[in-house]
Amino acid sequence: MTTPAISEAPVHTRSTTSRLLGVAVLVGLVALVVLGFFGAPEDDEQADAVRLIFVHVPSALLTYAAFSVTAVGSVMWLWKRSVWWDLVAHGSAELGVIFCGLTLFTGSVWGRPTWNTYWDWGDVRLVTTLILFLLMIGYLAVRSMGGDESAIATRSAIVALIAAVNLPIVNRSVEWWFDRTLHQKSSLTDGNLEDLTLFTLLLGVVVWSIFYVWAMIHRFRVGWLERELRVGDLDLAIEQRRAEAHAAGDGGDQ
Amino acid sequence: MTHLGYLLVGWGVSLGALGLYAVRVIQRGRQAAARVPANRRRWLASEDAS
Amino acid sequence: MTDDLAPQQPRPARSPRRKILPAAIAISVLAAVVGLVWNLVGGSLFFYNANEAVERRAELGDERFTLQGSPVGCSITEGFQGDVPVVVFSVSFGGEAVDIVHFGDPADLFQPDVPVVLDGYWVQGDPGVVDRTPIADDGWYFASDRMRVKHDNDYINDDDYDERLAESEAAAEFASEACSA
């Protein structure tokens, strides 16, 4: 990658790669809507309500992926003190919260016509997913607190790793509590899907994944720029402090 | 089509949330890039970002 | 550095907001973790399957609990008790049947052989509902007022669905035996 001259530094966060990914997301979304609503067949039991699977399952899978990246980034911060990984962890957590929120919301909307309820507090999959969501909201809250950059990164990394313990529990809950949960087993790995239903579902996963990569590229750069701003403000404050100290010192000598 | 209301709400909120996030992250990038001094807008090539 | 030795203004005290926020977050995270453990313990007994509910009938008494089983096709009757819609049917699981009286509308996807999860309690005696075809017929019924449908992860569009389901489901075998008895 060529380095732009400072005077030509961009005032945006896009690049050729992100543009291509963005176009791919838009084209993929059009295909997903067409196939999701008009291509894939209705289900014998659920009729057209099954079409919510095409947004629910990709959101759930990207929740796992995004929070896993956050966990890796948090470990790398704690181990290597890598700012790059810290920014990746933060950006991925932000996206993970969105995907997790969408998983809960679309699952709830899908649950009403199929399960006959929006929510069930007794279901392990549902409640562990909600707890994961709350923990990562807590992660973002820790990140938004002011103070020392390094201390915030360390505190939030610990919260992320606590939340990461919940990830396999959420994912495997329908297996570990088989016959004890309202939630069905994995649709992708254990399900029996019509060919076009499976294709559309996989397309949804691909589109959501490309969106994640696109958003991560932008979010990382935003994080980097905002960090530059904070560090720049700190440098400016230190310079001002030194100037004040010099002035006070000069005054004392007179 | 059955359950159209549920479908529109589920799909609409999903695509809407992703779209809003996309717009927001682009806006934040532009705002931050405009405020960062030119000599600090080197995020594409910073050694820390390798 | 000599700069650091220069006279300094006292550092401002941390604002109350800065003190409360970390505490609130810490409590929230702690509550979430406690909730997780609580849920795992409770969730492992989210519902009793029909055979377990029968086995623990004496222990459960009139306690409210959640029960799971597959509706037996020939037992399903819908009607009204006063103004309240009533669905009378039997569910099976693990070779045991439980007679159900559900007060309220059935779930949209309520149908034979698709498992339901019901909230209610054991009642001894006759529910006083006509046109019953109780499969268990053991003098007990489960009075339910909340129904969820536990659909599976098969997403199939098949013209011969009913025939295929009847052939493949173990519950359907139980149903045919129970109904013919």
Side-chain angles (χ1 to χ4, degrees):
Chain A
M1 184 182 290
T2 56
T3 305
I6 289 172
S7 59
E8 296 169 5
V11 287
H12 52 73
T13 51
R14 69 171 179 268
S15 59
T16 306
T17 305
S18 75
R19 276 183 165 173
L20 288 173
L21 290 171
V23 170
V25 170
L26 291 175
V27 171
L29 279 177
V30 171
L32 184 64
V33 169
V34 170
L35 282 175
F37 275 82
F38 308 108
E42 66 174 30
D43 178 67
D44 279 323
E45 285 181 17
Q46 305 184 22
D48 289 306
V50 74
R51 301 183 194 283
L52 283 161
I53 198 175
F54 305 126
V55 287
H56 176 72
V57 171
S59 298
L61 292 179
L62 266 295
T63 299
Y64 298 138
F67 288 156
S68 297
V69 169
T70 297
V72 171
S74 300
V75 168
M76 294 305 286
W77 163 258
L78 293 173
W79 182 23
K80 300 277 190 186
R81 297 284 151 178
S82 158
V83 171
W84 191 92
W85 274 109
D86 182 50
L87 291 172
V88 167
H90 186 186
S92 196
E94 202 170 278
L95 277 158
V97 164
I98 289 171
F99 285 126
C100 193
L102 288 179
T103 304
L104 289 165
F105 182 80
T106 55
S108 181
V109 170
W110 192 12
R112 181 62 188 83
T114 54
W115 293 339
N116 199 38
T117 187
Y118 286 109
W119 186 261
D120 201 312
W121 288 104
D123 191 274
V124 185
R125 167 59 73 83
L126 270 57
V127 178
T128 51
T129 306
L130 177 63
I131 288 168
L132 181 65
F133 180 69
L134 293 175
L135 283 169
M136 294 312 290
I137 291 280
Y139 173 94
L140 294 181
V142 169
R143 295 233 64 132
S144 68
M145 291 164 62
D148 178 57
E149 295 272 335
S150 177
I152 290 172
T154 302
R155 273 187 229 131
S156 52
I158 292 167
V159 175
L161 293 180
I162 291 171
V165 173
N166 195 13
L167 271 177
I169 298 174
V170 174
N171 181 256
R172 305 314 299 165
S173 56
V174 289
E175 306 291 336
W176 293 345
W177 283 271
F178 175 65
D179 263 347
R180 298 287 177 193
T181 64
L182 190 59
H183 197 285
Q184 67 274 29
K185 282 185 164 186
S186 166
S187 301
L188 265 180
T189 57
D190 294 320
N192 183 16
L193 288 81
E194 293 284 351
D195 289 347
L196 197 50
T197 304
L198 178 61
F199 177 80
T200 310
L201 181 54
L202 291 174
L203 177 66
V205 174
V206 169
V207 172
W208 255 230
S209 301
I210 298 172
F211 176 84
Y212 170 77
V213 175
W214 175 90
M216 275 298 288
I217 290 172
H218 281 278
R219 183 60 187 78
F220 174 85
R221 291 169 179 173
V222 167
W224 185 266
L225 288 169
E226 290 180 345
R227 186 176 180 280
E228 285 293 304
L229 275 175
R230 290 192 300 272
V231 172
D233 289 346
L234 185 65
D235 289 348
L236 188 63
I238 290 170
E239 276 176 31
Q240 286 174 343
R241 180 82 212 130
R242 282 182 175 159
E244 286 168 15
H246 272 298
D250 292 344
D253 291 341
Q254 286 175 349
Chain B
M1 187 171 280
T2 67
H3 305 103
L4 190 59
Y6 294 105
L7 291 175
L8 292 178
V9 169
W11 277 77
V13 169
S14 298
L15 300 186
L18 297 186
L20 283 175
Y21 183 81
V23 170
R24 182 74 192 118
V25 81
I26 288 171
Q27 280 179 342
R28 274 176 74 180
R30 284 183 180 159
Q31 286 166 359
R35 286 174 58 211
V36 171
N39 63 344
R40 285 184 177 272
R41 268 188 240 146
R42 293 181 298 168
W43 46 267
L44 283 174
S46 172
E47 57 193 33
D48 285 344
S50 59
Chain C
M1 289 169 65
T2 54
D3 291 352
D4 295 330
L5 299 175
Q8 294 183 11
Q9 296 291 326
R11 297 181 73 181
R14 294 187 88 194
S15 69
R17 185 177 165 274
R18 280 282 169 81
K19 289 178 181 173
I20 291 168
L21 198 59
I25 290 165
I27 291 168
S28 303
V29 169
L30 188 66
V33 173
V34 170
L36 169 66
V37 175
W38 183 281
N39 180 255
L40 289 180
V41 173
S44 63
L45 289 174
F46 171 37
F47 50 66
Y48 290 111
N49 294 312
N51 57 329
E52 295 163 339
V54 170
E55 196 179 309
R56 294 168 179 262
R57 189 147 52 199
E59 178 190 330
L60 288 165
D62 58 359
E63 184 185 322
R64 192 175 168 81
F65 68 98
T66 307
L67 177 144
Q68 191 255 165
S70 297
V72 179
C74 66
S75 70
I76 299 172
T77 308
E78 294 187 34
F80 284 89
Q81 197 170 58
D83 292 337
V84 181
V86 177
V87 190
V88 180
F89 59 103
S90 299
V91 297
S92 69
F93 192 94
E96 283 281 0
V98 171
D99 297 330
I100 309 288
V101 178
H102 176 74
F103 298 94
D105 289 317
D108 290 347
L109 296 189
F110 174 67
Q111 57 191 292
D113 307 321
V114 177
V116 288
V117 176
L118 304 156
D119 287 352
Y121 51 91
W122 281 119
V123 178
Q124 189 169 21
D126 192 310
V129 180
V130 293
D131 296 334
R132 282 177 76 214
T133 314
I135 302 298
D137 204 17
D138 53 6
W140 291 84
Y141 67 93
F142 184 79
S144 154
D145 56 14
R146 188 173 180 223
M147 180 191 293
R148 283 87 87 203
V149 172
K150 189 180 183 309
H151 68 79
D152 58 21
N153 52 357
D154 286 349
Y155 305 97
I156 296 298
N157 185 281
D158 189 344
D159 292 338
D160 300 323
Y161 173 73
D162 291 333
E163 185 184 340
R164 180 176 54 78
L165 188 70
E167 287 172 358
S168 62
E169 294 280 339
E173 284 179 27
F174 180 91
S176 61
E177 286 172 18
C179 291
S180 61

